[in-house]
Amino acid sequence: MTDNAETSYDVLIVGGGPAGQAAALELAAVGARCAVIDEQARPGGQILRQPPVSFAAQNWVDENSYRPLRQQLRVFENQAAIAWLGRRSVIGLQPGPQGHSLTTSGADGLQELSAAHVLIAAGCYDMPYPAPGWTLPGAMGAGAMQTLLKAQGIVTGEPIVFAGTHPLMLLIAAQISRAGGKVAEVAFDRSLATIGKSMIRHCATALRNGSLLGEAGKAMMDLRRAGVPVRFGRPLQEITGADRVTGAVFGEADHPETTPCGSIGLCYGFLPQSDLPRQAGLSVRWSSPSGGWATCHDQWMQSSVEGVWVAGETTGVAGAPIARDEGRIAGLGIAAALGLITNRDATRRAAPFRQSRKAAMRFAAMLDDIAAPKQALDRVAASNTTICRCEKVSASAVRETLGSTTDVNAVKRITRCGMGLCQGRNCEHMLIRMSAAAEGRGLETMKGFTGRFPARPVSIADLLEKPLP
Amino acid sequence: MKKIARRSVEHWTNSDVFLSDIDFLVIGGGLVGAASAWHLASAGTKVWLCEQASPGHGASGQNAGSLHFQIERRFLEREDGVGREGEQTAQLSRLAVQDWRDLERQIGRNLGVHMEGGLMVAHSAQEVRLLETKAAREQAMGLAVETIDRAQVQALAPYLSPDILAANFMADEGHADARIIAPAFADAAQSAGARLLDATRVASLQKRGALFEARLEKGEEIQTVTAAKVLICAGIWSPQIAAMAGLHLPLFPAPLTMNATARTAAFLPYLIQHVGRRLSIKQTAAGNLLIGGGWPSRLHRTGSGFDFSRAPALVPQSLTGNLQTAVETMPVIGEHELLRSWTGITAVTQDQLPVAGEFPSLPGLFCAAGGSAFTLGPTFARLVADQMLERRRDEADALLSVASPARFESLNGFMGR
Ligand SMILES: Cc1cc2nc3c(=O)[nH]c(=O)nc-3n(C[C@H](O)[C@H](O)[C@H](O)COP(=O)(O)OP(=O)(O)OC[C@H]3O[C@@H](n4cnc5c(N)ncnc54)[C@H](O)[C@@H]3O)c2cc1C
Ligand SMILES: Cc1cc2nc3c(=O)[nH]c(=O)nc-3n(C[C@H](O)[C@H](O)[C@H](O)COP(=O)(O)OP(=O)(O)OC[C@H]3O[C@@H](n4cnc5c(N)ncnc54)[C@H](O)[C@@H]3O)c2cc1C
């Protein structure tokens, strides 16, 4: 990959994770001019987030199952035909019949880029879980904790508690423990029996994906060996502390148990990044059971708007191997649309990726089932917790407004829930669930917040035509 | 549908039309519809307020919330802009000032009304002359507007650019909170006895004998209701409703752009506008700066017309043009972050004047739409309600004469029924 200052390409790819890299490699191989834009300085995405070049990181993401991803990353970094536009946020996507334009924002201001084809491979983010006390310093997504470790070698306040429904927290806790961090406890919301039932339902899949499950098993063994308790059926009631996190309260309301801690990693699943797709008016669907907006696509990963393609967790949270397969399929689809390969060729070359994607999808469905956050979210929806942290709107204020309207955008207008700096990333999923429940409607029939420019808050001085005096 | 017991409405009519289910059907739950329903219900009549989504779904929940009573820039652009029409609009503005001053008390709800003054600024000598002519006209029309010079502008609002040569100041101007206003009026209307039908769309409207019959659709549920009088206040959708009744209502959609910054500590008590450029700036109670002024956005299209179901697309030149104008007027804006740009659609007529009153060719059918119906909305609602209730009717007719749908009779004369 090379640094590059062109403004017009055949293909612009948003996101340099497994999906974006895979697509770029397919496209570069057939001679397409493509650029990959990412907020991170270096490629890797979430799973292979890299520390700055100047850091000498030891044992950086050394799990076995990451080997193919690390290999892809090396090839990507050595592919000179791909332009790498790091440290830039894509804040706008305007589809047009004559090509699409992207607005990016970085240290040197704004830039307009255009291309006949745009691929959004923007990944996902930690689902915010608004347990009472979640806004205290020291409470964060488990993925964010891992990001601090991977990118900066930082361990958050110790001891650390993990709470949630998603098994990824076992891996993260083990990584942190191996790095020397003290973990107080890993607490699963659901009982082992419920999780077991999910596994039995997906028994064949579980067996076929023995190695990945093995990874989780190994993490659990590592944690046991380090003396870290992994407990099940431990619903998180509250995060306590005066001006920072000092404890996590578990159990039923009548006999609460407190685990003292310096920080807590919340792991209830992940939500697809959907700001750009929604801003550009692509069709999206609610993803069940994990939540959030997944962008709809056809069999070549093309969205409802011609020339705009999606791959990886933008299409639903399903793990890195699927993200990579989708990236390859999208790359081949775009190559065919550009006339660089024949449709027949694309079909032939995509076949193995479709096959492995299909197999991995079953595993993703099992994980989804195991990690389903509904019960845990219902509990906070019925509480008095703050659900919109930017505008300080409580669940009870939302419930009260839901008495007069269940239109999500109307509730937003009336309560300001979702009007703050995070642009609704934290609270929209809760509001949608609460609103659907109040109206007795299925989540799949709900409408979300209207997507708007910019996808990230941006300095007005940067936006201006003329430099400021 | 349950038949509702008919009730007496003698005070507004003496005819024998009394077989309707309800007295009034108000179509559209924007500011105008919700406020009209509140007035009508407060008079003791049976009112239904029908809204296809939820109150504030249309322009009333998307606008800038400016309470601007000075003659608008768009009128100054027209040669006769400060003529007879300007005079009548100024009269409505005077009433609107009084209405807004007392609105929160009257409906017993917070509307975020701040009336601490507004400045319309000028950058060039030519614009200063425009300000002076305008202020003279306004004073003659009884609007308390004064021209202040650069030093006075700086004393009043030191955060404005030193390049600003003069401003018109009007102490009554300000803003109110567009987020909450339509829901607040809808709530007040319900407390006064009106029935709100939300997520309910009027799907047909026709006159049958002396009554109006409307078909209302809520998802799969369909009901028919008859009303003695109907008020169309469906914003940009009003022409569709008028067409259901076989009438022309030449209102056009105008897609606009708004920008909001992240919150910042309170520093701006005034409404800021520009006499020569499209601009409005204000700070909300929450602290966000709202920047607008009528910059265009782009309507999506369907095969046969414009698509109102999608938010108009942002036009990049409008975004930067609007923010550039804002920074040139108030440099400190450049230090803030843009949090969100949104687009909304308002309704305009070819002559830029609002539409409010009864259709001469279909008595009993009223309309209130178009124009700056945030600032003037509560006043339109009050006067049209008076007309419908036959209460101080002559006075209301006179005040609304500039807006009367009678000016479309040249078109509606061709419409057989
Ligand atoms: C914090 C976090 C930690 C995770 N850790 C693990 C893990 O340890 N193991 C595991 O199996 N899975 C993990 N996952 C799941 C993991 O994200 C996926 O399995 C995989 O990385 C998805 O690949 P992707 O290419 O779809 O997206 P990603 O890898 O997420 O790549 C998307 C990239 O797009 C960039 N981006 C997004 N929006 C914009 C924008 N508007 N402008 C510019 N750039 C943008 C991001 O910076 C990111 O680099 C994690 C997820 C998160 C959110
Ligand atoms: C971006 C922007 C900024 C503006 N700034 C200002 C300003 O600063 N000051 C000012 O004075 N004015 C401003 N305006 C204009 C002002 O917003 C409008 O004039 C005013 O809100 C109109 O209110 P309304 O009640 O007539 O219409 P709307 O608020 O549009 O209400 C119409 C309602 O009718 C409903 N409806 C439509 N069809 C049907 C049907 N078939 N059945 C049932 N219901 C239906 C709609 O859902 C909608 O809620 C602005 C407008 C925009 C778009």
Side-chain angles (χ1 to χ4, degrees):
Chain A
M1 62 188 201
T2 49
D3 293 336
N4 198 309
E6 308 264 317
T7 58
S8 169
Y9 293 89
D10 294 332
V11 190
L12 283 165
I13 299 176
V14 184
Q21 292 163 30
L25 287 171
E26 292 294 342
L27 284 159
V30 296
R33 291 185 322 114
C34 63
V36 181
I37 312 160
D38 202 299
E39 281 171 332
Q40 299 195 46
R42 300 177 65 189
Q46 296 292 5
I47 190 164
L48 296 189
R49 182 179 282 272
Q50 304 197 63
V53 186
S54 56
F55 275 40
Q58 277 164 19
N59 306 330
W60 172 76
V61 277
D62 58 355
E63 281 83 351
N64 273 338
S65 57
Y66 293 0
R67 202 171 291 149
L69 296 177
R70 282 206 309 268
Q71 198 181 340
Q72 171 175 283
L73 177 57
R74 261 197 310 278
V75 178
F76 179 83
E77 289 183 310
N78 291 324
Q79 168 57 270
I82 300 169
W84 171 253
L85 307 176
R87 278 210 188 100
R88 287 174 182 81
S89 298
V90 178
I91 59 170
L93 167 56
Q94 295 243 17
Q98 255 59 323
H100 312 300
S101 76
L102 286 184
T103 311
T104 70
S105 155
D108 44 2
L110 246 45
Q111 203 182 357
E112 290 287 328
L113 302 171
S114 64
H117 296 271
V118 169
L119 170 67
I120 308 176
C124 64
Y125 64 103
D126 282 302
M127 175 197 294
Y129 181 67
W134 71 301
T135 56
L136 284 168
M140 64 192 86
M145 265 184 191
Q146 188 201 36
T147 296
L148 286 169
L149 181 71
K150 281 197 267 202
Q152 304 286 333
I154 289 173
V155 169
T156 55
E158 295 169 278
I160 302 171
V161 162
F162 287 88
T165 56
H166 202 287
L168 185 66
M169 70 179 168
L170 283 172
L171 269 63
I172 299 177
Q175 283 167 351
I176 287 181
S177 171
R178 274 201 297 277
K182 183 167 171 31
V183 179
E185 136 162 45
V186 178
F188 278 87
D189 198 277
R190 309 173 82 188
S191 70
L192 201 49
T194 334
I195 294 177
K197 269 187 217 136
S198 294
M199 307 251 309
I200 291 164
R201 251 199 311 281
H202 299 270
C203 161
T205 309
L207 290 175
R208 218 174 301 113
N209 290 277
S211 72
L212 283 163
L213 285 179
E215 205 87 59
K218 182 173 168 297
M220 207 139 136
M221 299 282 283
D222 285 355
L223 289 169
R224 284 263 154 79
R225 211 167 301 125
V228 176
V230 177
R231 301 195 174 104
F232 293 86
R234 293 267 283 176
L236 176 67
Q237 295 302 335
E238 192 186 350
I239 303 166
T240 54
D243 50 8
R244 58 183 190 82
V245 172
T246 55
V249 184
F250 293 103
E252 303 305 326
D254 38 350
H255 21 53
E257 286 171 41
T258 302
T259 305
C261 60
S263 60
I264 179 166
L266 302 165
C267 198
Y268 292 82
F270 299 86
L271 303 176
Q273 297 277 9
S274 62
D275 41 18
L276 291 172
R278 289 155 75 190
Q279 184 189 118
L282 314 187
S283 301
V284 295
R285 61 177 173 80
W286 182 259
S287 38
S288 273
S290 48
W293 298 104
T295 306
C296 305
H297 55 81
D298 67 11
Q299 58 156 342
W300 288 104
M301 311 307 297
Q302 186 162 220
S303 76
S304 59
V305 172
E306 204 179 324
V308 181
W309 311 67
V310 287
E313 305 205 308
T314 303
T315 71
V317 177
I322 290 178
R324 189 154 73 121
D325 286 333
E326 291 188 351
R328 287 159 155 167
I329 297 168
L332 292 167
I334 297 170
L338 284 168
L340 297 171
I341 56 175
T342 63
N343 288 343
R344 233 174 113 167
D345 235 11
T347 304
R348 186 179 51 77
R349 284 157 69 176
F353 309 140
R354 291 193 196 286
Q355 199 89 48
S356 63
R357 175 174 180 270
K358 200 166 150 199
M361 274 296 188
R362 291 197 205 100
F363 183 69
M366 180 181 83
L367 257 191
D368 259 4
D369 199 2
I370 289 174
K374 182 176 184 315
Q375 264 176 319
L377 290 170
D378 284 350
R379 210 164 51 234
V380 289
S383 77
N384 199 16
T385 184
T386 299
I387 68 166
C388 169
R389 62 190 301 166
C390 304
E391 299 290 323
K392 301 197 172 54
V393 182
S394 67
S396 48
V398 167
R399 280 198 302 276
E400 195 181 307
T401 309
L402 286 171
S404 61
T405 175
T406 53
D407 171 339
V408 168
N409 283 295
V411 176
K412 172 178 173 178
R413 281 196 300 273
I414 295 170
T415 62
R416 296 188 63 85
C417 181
M419 285 200 175
L421 213 52
C422 85
Q423 302 174 309
R425 280 182 187 76
N426 277 286
C427 61
E428 186 198 15
H429 77 109
M430 278 301 293
L431 180 51
I432 287 174
R433 285 179 188 271
M434 290 176 72
S435 179
E439 217 189 315
R441 270 173 65 174
L443 283 160
E444 67 291 344
T445 67
M446 298 297 291
K447 271 198 184 151
F449 292 157
T450 312
R452 300 285 192 182
F453 178 89
R456 309 273 184 278
V458 58
S459 147
I460 288 180
D462 279 353
L463 272 170
L464 292 182
E465 298 157 313
K466 292 180 233 158
L468 287 175
Chain B
M1 174 201 156
K2 273 193 237 110
K3 265 280 182 192
I4 285 120
R6 201 191 57 71
R7 42 192 299 208
S8 150
V9 283
E10 282 86 347
H11 55 282
W12 55 262
T13 171
N14 54 10
S15 69
D16 50 1
V17 213
F18 293 98
L19 297 164
S20 60
D21 301 324
I22 59 173
D23 300 330
F24 302 121
L25 174 66
V26 178
I27 305 173
L31 165 56
V32 176
S36 302
W38 171 67
H39 282 290
L40 294 169
S42 301
T45 64
K46 186 169 275 304
V47 184
W48 282 13
L49 172 60
C50 186
E51 164 55 50
Q52 64 178 353
S54 58
H57 168 76
S60 298
Q62 300 164 334
N63 69 80
S66 303
L67 301 179
H68 47 70
F69 304 111
Q70 302 186 46
I71 297 173
E72 288 182 59
R73 202 188 55 83
R74 59 189 174 127
F75 286 117
L76 294 173
E77 276 173 356
R78 294 170 37 179
E79 256 179 27
D80 60 344
V82 282
R84 185 190 72 90
E85 293 163 353
E87 204 108 17
Q88 290 220 359
T89 315
Q91 199 171 22
L92 289 170
S93 288
R94 277 204 311 275
L95 291 177
V97 170
Q98 292 164 17
D99 283 336
W100 278 105
R101 288 254 179 237
D102 203 31
L103 224 43
E104 290 182 321
R105 190 193 59 79
Q106 279 189 30
I107 75 164
R109 281 159 182 84
N110 170 31
L111 304 173
V113 179
H114 287 260
M115 293 167 78
E116 296 181 33
L119 290 118
M120 192 180 283
V121 304
H123 266 96
S124 70
Q126 194 199 342
E127 288 170 353
V128 175
R129 280 194 297 281
L130 204 53
L131 283 183
E132 282 161 353
T133 324
K134 172 178 148 295
R137 293 297 314 217
E138 286 166 328
Q139 282 155 12
M141 294 169 189
L143 291 172
V145 175
E146 54 178 322
T147 306
I148 58 176
D149 64 16
R150 188 201 315 239
Q152 288 167 305
V153 169
Q154 284 299 316
L156 207 58
Y159 37 79
L160 289 179
S161 163
D163 296 341
I164 286 168
L165 301 181
N168 277 170
F169 179 75
M170 183 178 182
D172 288 313
E173 287 194 317
H175 50 91
D177 201 334
R179 293 183 300 111
I180 52 177
I181 198 139
F185 267 109
D187 193 43
Q190 289 179 88
S191 301
R195 177 163 168 210
L196 170 68
L197 295 95
D198 62 359
T200 305
R201 203 177 75 84
V202 172
S204 78
L205 174 68
Q206 53 198 309
K207 192 145 191 186
R208 280 215 196 280
L211 303 178
F212 289 90
E213 185 181 280
R215 209 169 93 106
L216 313 182
E217 294 181 357
K218 179 171 194 164
E220 308 282 88
E221 285 168 49
I222 293 172
Q223 59 176 321
T224 305
V225 67
T226 53
K229 296 184 183 180
V230 172
L231 173 58
I232 303 174
C233 37
I236 51 168
W237 295 269
S238 300
Q240 297 172 6
I241 315 261
M244 292 174 192
L247 289 176
H248 286 301
L249 177 51
L251 265 177
F252 303 93
L256 303 178
T257 311
M258 283 299 305
N259 302 289
T261 69
R263 289 166 171 230
T264 182
F267 73 96
L268 175 64
Y270 306 120
L271 169 68
I272 307 293
Q273 297 184 89
H274 202 293
V275 70
R277 310 184 194 174
R278 295 171 189 232
L279 182 66
S280 74
I281 310 174
K282 68 188 66 68
Q283 187 170 24
T284 65
N288 313 78
L289 293 167
L290 300 188
I291 304 166
W295 290 78
S297 51
R298 186 169 50 79
L299 286 170
H300 291 286
R301 288 140 220 190
T302 63
S304 57
F306 295 116
D307 183 357
F308 296 156
S309 70
R310 291 179 64 189
L314 191 64
V315 172
Q317 293 79 354
S318 286
L319 174 72
T320 47
N322 195 358
L323 295 174
Q324 183 69 37
T325 308
V327 169
E328 281 168 11
T329 302
M330 196 189 282
V332 71
I333 297 237
E335 292 167 22
H336 292 278
E337 293 215 308
L338 176 70
L339 182 57
R340 189 173 167 82
S341 298
W342 74 88
T343 55
I345 319 176
T346 192
V348 293
T349 51
Q350 200 260 334
D351 59 14
Q352 302 262 1
L353 294 168
V355 185
E358 190 169 15
F359 285 94
S361 42
L362 202 53
L365 185 65
F366 294 74
C367 172
S372 288
F374 189 77
T375 302
L376 299 180
T379 309
F380 292 153
R382 178 168 65 78
L383 295 174
V384 172
D386 279 351
Q387 291 179 327
M388 294 176 80
L389 291 161
E390 295 293 343
R391 187 170 70 178
R392 300 184 290 271
R393 169 108 203 207
D394 293 344
E395 194 186 328
D397 283 354
L399 287 167
L400 290 180
S401 65
V402 67
S404 168
R407 68 187 189 280
F408 310 131
E409 278 306 286
S410 54
L411 299 169
N412 283 325
F414 293 112
M415 303 301 285
R417 74 179 55 78

